[in-house]
Amino acid sequence: MEGISLGKLLIIGALIVLLFGTKKLRTLGGDLGAALKGFKKAMSDDETPAQKNSADDKPAIKESHKE
């Protein structure tokens, strides 16, 4: 069986544009980009406090129990 060629991809792209319209696709692309940007920001925000906490952690004092 053949794979998907460039011609087939162009036909599929043209059908998608005809179905949804360019304005809706542009909005969808913008929404997807904003979601990815927010996800990356959240991931970098999660890493920053973890690095600060590990630097601020002090070793626990060992106590010996005498009975």
Side-chain angles (χ1 to χ4, degrees):
M1 295 186 87
E2 289 184 36
I4 297 177
S5 67
L6 183 61
K8 290 179 184 178
L9 285 176
L10 289 175
I11 292 172
I12 291 170
L15 288 174
I16 289 173
V17 169
L18 286 174
L19 269 171
F20 295 108
T22 56
K23 186 175 182 178
K24 188 161 186 155
L25 288 176
R26 192 176 322 138
T27 348
L28 180 66
D31 291 344
L32 183 63
L36 286 174
K37 186 176 180 180
F39 179 73
K40 286 181 182 180
K41 184 177 184 280
M43 290 299 291
S44 67
D45 287 348
D46 285 346
E47 291 175 1
T48 317
Q51 292 171 351
K52 288 180 183 176
N53 288 341
S54 64
D56 293 341
D57 288 343
K58 296 178 183 175
I61 299 172
K62 294 182 181 180
E63 297 179 17
S64 60
H65 297 283
K66 296 180 182 178
E67 293 181 20

PDB file of all heavy atoms in Angstrom, residues 13-29:
ATOM      1  N   GLY A  13      -5.845  19.064   2.948  1.00  0.00           N
ATOM      2  CA  GLY A  13      -5.772  20.421   3.484  1.00  0.00           C
ATOM      3  C   GLY A  13      -6.817  21.334   2.859  1.00  0.00           C
ATOM      4  O   GLY A  13      -7.451  22.134   3.552  1.00  0.00           O
ATOM      5  N   ALA A  14      -7.012  21.216   1.531  1.00  0.00           N
ATOM      6  CA  ALA A  14      -8.017  22.038   0.850  1.00  0.00           C
ATOM      7  C   ALA A  14      -9.419  21.704   1.342  1.00  0.00           C
ATOM      8  O   ALA A  14     -10.254  22.598   1.548  1.00  0.00           O
ATOM      9  CB  ALA A  14      -7.913  21.829  -0.657  1.00  0.00           C
ATOM     10  N   LEU A  15      -9.701  20.432   1.565  1.00  0.00           N
ATOM     11  CA  LEU A  15     -11.010  20.038   2.084  1.00  0.00           C
ATOM     12  C   LEU A  15     -11.246  20.572   3.493  1.00  0.00           C
ATOM     13  O   LEU A  15     -12.357  21.014   3.822  1.00  0.00           O
ATOM     14  CB  LEU A  15     -11.149  18.513   2.068  1.00  0.00           C
ATOM     15  CG  LEU A  15     -11.304  17.866   0.688  1.00  0.00           C
ATOM     16  CD1 LEU A  15     -11.291  16.347   0.814  1.00  0.00           C
ATOM     17  CD2 LEU A  15     -12.579  18.336   0.023  1.00  0.00           C
ATOM     18  N   ILE A  16     -10.216  20.549   4.323  1.00  0.00           N
ATOM     19  CA  ILE A  16     -10.345  21.067   5.685  1.00  0.00           C
ATOM     20  C   ILE A  16     -10.622  22.568   5.655  1.00  0.00           C
ATOM     21  O   ILE A  16     -11.477  23.071   6.392  1.00  0.00           O
ATOM     22  CB  ILE A  16      -9.085  20.738   6.513  1.00  0.00           C
ATOM     23  CG1 ILE A  16      -9.037  19.240   6.806  1.00  0.00           C
ATOM     24  CG2 ILE A  16      -9.047  21.530   7.807  1.00  0.00           C
ATOM     25  CD1 ILE A  16      -7.771  18.761   7.477  1.00  0.00           C
ATOM     26  N   VAL A  17      -9.916  23.303   4.776  1.00  0.00           N
ATOM     27  CA  VAL A  17     -10.137  24.746   4.650  1.00  0.00           C
ATOM     28  C   VAL A  17     -11.551  25.017   4.160  1.00  0.00           C
ATOM     29  O   VAL A  17     -12.227  25.932   4.640  1.00  0.00           O
ATOM     30  CB  VAL A  17      -9.077  25.388   3.728  1.00  0.00           C
ATOM     31  CG1 VAL A  17      -9.450  26.810   3.367  1.00  0.00           C
ATOM     32  CG2 VAL A  17      -7.708  25.354   4.395  1.00  0.00           C
ATOM     33  N   LEU A  18     -12.037  24.225   3.206  1.00  0.00           N
ATOM     34  CA  LEU A  18     -13.399  24.416   2.705  1.00  0.00           C
ATOM     35  C   LEU A  18     -14.443  24.110   3.779  1.00  0.00           C
ATOM     36  O   LEU A  18     -15.480  24.773   3.867  1.00  0.00           O
ATOM     37  CB  LEU A  18     -13.644  23.538   1.481  1.00  0.00           C
ATOM     38  CG  LEU A  18     -12.971  23.990   0.189  1.00  0.00           C
ATOM     39  CD1 LEU A  18     -13.185  22.948  -0.905  1.00  0.00           C
ATOM     40  CD2 LEU A  18     -13.499  25.339  -0.255  1.00  0.00           C
ATOM     41  N   LEU A  19     -14.174  23.097   4.585  1.00  0.00           N
ATOM     42  CA  LEU A  19     -15.128  22.720   5.627  1.00  0.00           C
ATOM     43  C   LEU A  19     -15.215  23.757   6.752  1.00  0.00           C
ATOM     44  O   LEU A  19     -16.302  24.155   7.159  1.00  0.00           O
ATOM     45  CB  LEU A  19     -14.732  21.373   6.236  1.00  0.00           C
ATOM     46  CG  LEU A  19     -15.334  20.136   5.600  1.00  0.00           C
ATOM     47  CD1 LEU A  19     -14.665  18.893   6.164  1.00  0.00           C
ATOM     48  CD2 LEU A  19     -16.818  20.079   5.865  1.00  0.00           C
ATOM     49  N   PHE A  20     -14.069  24.166   7.258  1.00  0.00           N
ATOM     50  CA  PHE A  20     -14.050  25.013   8.443  1.00  0.00           C
ATOM     51  C   PHE A  20     -13.887  26.497   8.130  1.00  0.00           C
ATOM     52  O   PHE A  20     -14.275  27.341   8.937  1.00  0.00           O
ATOM     53  CB  PHE A  20     -12.930  24.570   9.398  1.00  0.00           C
ATOM     54  CG  PHE A  20     -13.149  23.199   9.954  1.00  0.00           C
ATOM     55  CD1 PHE A  20     -12.371  22.141   9.522  1.00  0.00           C
ATOM     56  CD2 PHE A  20     -14.127  22.959  10.893  1.00  0.00           C
ATOM     57  CE1 PHE A  20     -12.564  20.877  10.035  1.00  0.00           C
ATOM     58  CE2 PHE A  20     -14.333  21.700  11.414  1.00  0.00           C
ATOM     59  CZ  PHE A  20     -13.551  20.652  10.977  1.00  0.00           C
ATOM     60  N   GLY A  21     -13.266  26.831   7.043  1.00  0.00           N
ATOM     61  CA  GLY A  21     -13.021  28.227   6.724  1.00  0.00           C
ATOM     62  C   GLY A  21     -11.714  28.701   7.351  1.00  0.00           C
ATOM     63  O   GLY A  21     -11.266  28.174   8.361  1.00  0.00           O
ATOM     64  N   THR A  22     -11.122  29.705   6.729  1.00  0.00           N
ATOM     65  CA  THR A  22      -9.806  30.162   7.193  1.00  0.00           C
ATOM     66  C   THR A  22      -9.885  30.874   8.532  1.00  0.00           C
ATOM     67  O   THR A  22      -8.973  30.779   9.347  1.00  0.00           O
ATOM     68  CB  THR A  22      -9.167  31.094   6.153  1.00  0.00           C
ATOM     69  OG1 THR A  22     -10.064  32.175   5.887  1.00  0.00           O
ATOM     70  CG2 THR A  22      -8.865  30.357   4.870  1.00  0.00           C
ATOM     71  N   LYS A  23     -10.974  31.606   8.783  1.00  0.00           N
ATOM     72  CA  LYS A  23     -11.075  32.347  10.039  1.00  0.00           C
ATOM     73  C   LYS A  23     -11.137  31.400  11.236  1.00  0.00           C
ATOM     74  O   LYS A  23     -10.461  31.607  12.250  1.00  0.00           O
ATOM     75  CB  LYS A  23     -12.307  33.245  10.017  1.00  0.00           C
ATOM     76  CG  LYS A  23     -12.403  34.147  11.214  1.00  0.00           C
ATOM     77  CD  LYS A  23     -13.560  35.114  11.096  1.00  0.00           C
ATOM     78  CE  LYS A  23     -13.585  36.025  12.305  1.00  0.00           C
ATOM     79  NZ  LYS A  23     -14.658  37.007  12.222  1.00  0.00           N
ATOM     80  N   LYS A  24     -11.933  30.349  11.114  1.00  0.00           N
ATOM     81  CA  LYS A  24     -12.058  29.393  12.213  1.00  0.00           C
ATOM     82  C   LYS A  24     -10.736  28.645  12.429  1.00  0.00           C
ATOM     83  O   LYS A  24     -10.341  28.399  13.571  1.00  0.00           O
ATOM     84  CB  LYS A  24     -13.184  28.411  11.931  1.00  0.00           C
ATOM     85  CG  LYS A  24     -13.490  27.515  13.099  1.00  0.00           C
ATOM     86  CD  LYS A  24     -14.847  26.902  12.992  1.00  0.00           C
ATOM     87  CE  LYS A  24     -15.138  26.152  14.263  1.00  0.00           C
ATOM     88  NZ  LYS A  24     -16.532  26.017  14.521  1.00  0.00           N
ATOM     89  N   LEU A  25     -10.048  28.302  11.349  1.00  0.00           N
ATOM     90  CA  LEU A  25      -8.760  27.616  11.482  1.00  0.00           C
ATOM     91  C   LEU A  25      -7.718  28.534  12.118  1.00  0.00           C
ATOM     92  O   LEU A  25      -6.889  28.091  12.909  1.00  0.00           O
ATOM     93  CB  LEU A  25      -8.277  27.129  10.116  1.00  0.00           C
ATOM     94  CG  LEU A  25      -9.047  25.947   9.532  1.00  0.00           C
ATOM     95  CD1 LEU A  25      -8.543  25.631   8.138  1.00  0.00           C
ATOM     96  CD2 LEU A  25      -8.929  24.729  10.422  1.00  0.00           C
ATOM     97  N   ARG A  26      -7.756  29.821  11.772  1.00  0.00           N
ATOM     98  CA  ARG A  26      -6.817  30.782  12.354  1.00  0.00           C
ATOM     99  C   ARG A  26      -7.068  30.907  13.851  1.00  0.00           C
ATOM    100  O   ARG A  26      -6.137  30.942  14.651  1.00  0.00           O
ATOM    101  CB  ARG A  26      -6.978  32.137  11.670  1.00  0.00           C
ATOM    102  CG  ARG A  26      -5.878  33.099  12.008  1.00  0.00           C
ATOM    103  CD  ARG A  26      -6.005  34.412  11.247  1.00  0.00           C
ATOM    104  NE  ARG A  26      -6.480  34.194   9.884  1.00  0.00           N
ATOM    105  CZ  ARG A  26      -7.380  34.958   9.282  1.00  0.00           C
ATOM    106  NH1 ARG A  26      -7.896  35.989   9.899  1.00  0.00           N
ATOM    107  NH2 ARG A  26      -7.760  34.706   8.050  1.00  0.00           N
ATOM    108  N   THR A  27      -8.334  30.967  14.251  1.00  0.00           N
ATOM    109  CA  THR A  27      -8.658  31.064  15.682  1.00  0.00           C
ATOM    110  C   THR A  27      -8.240  29.793  16.410  1.00  0.00           C
ATOM    111  O   THR A  27      -7.736  29.867  17.529  1.00  0.00           O
ATOM    112  CB  THR A  27     -10.177  31.259  15.901  1.00  0.00           C
ATOM    113  OG1 THR A  27     -10.834  31.574  14.710  1.00  0.00           O
ATOM    114  CG2 THR A  27     -10.455  32.322  16.904  1.00  0.00           C
ATOM    115  N   LEU A  28      -8.485  28.670  15.775  1.00  0.00           N
ATOM    116  CA  LEU A  28      -8.097  27.398  16.379  1.00  0.00           C
ATOM    117  C   LEU A  28      -6.580  27.332  16.566  1.00  0.00           C
ATOM    118  O   LEU A  28      -6.097  26.898  17.615  1.00  0.00           O
ATOM    119  CB  LEU A  28      -8.572  26.234  15.503  1.00  0.00           C
ATOM    120  CG  LEU A  28      -8.251  24.829  15.983  1.00  0.00           C
ATOM    121  CD1 LEU A  28      -8.999  24.535  17.275  1.00  0.00           C
ATOM    122  CD2 LEU A  28      -8.617  23.819  14.927  1.00  0.00           C
ATOM    123  N   GLY A  29      -5.837  27.788  15.565  1.00  0.00           N
ATOM    124  CA  GLY A  29      -4.379  27.808  15.682  1.00  0.00           C
ATOM    125  C   GLY A  29      -3.901  28.743  16.779  1.00  0.00           C
ATOM    126  O   GLY A  29      -2.977  28.422  17.526  1.00  0.00           O
TER     127      GLY A  29
END
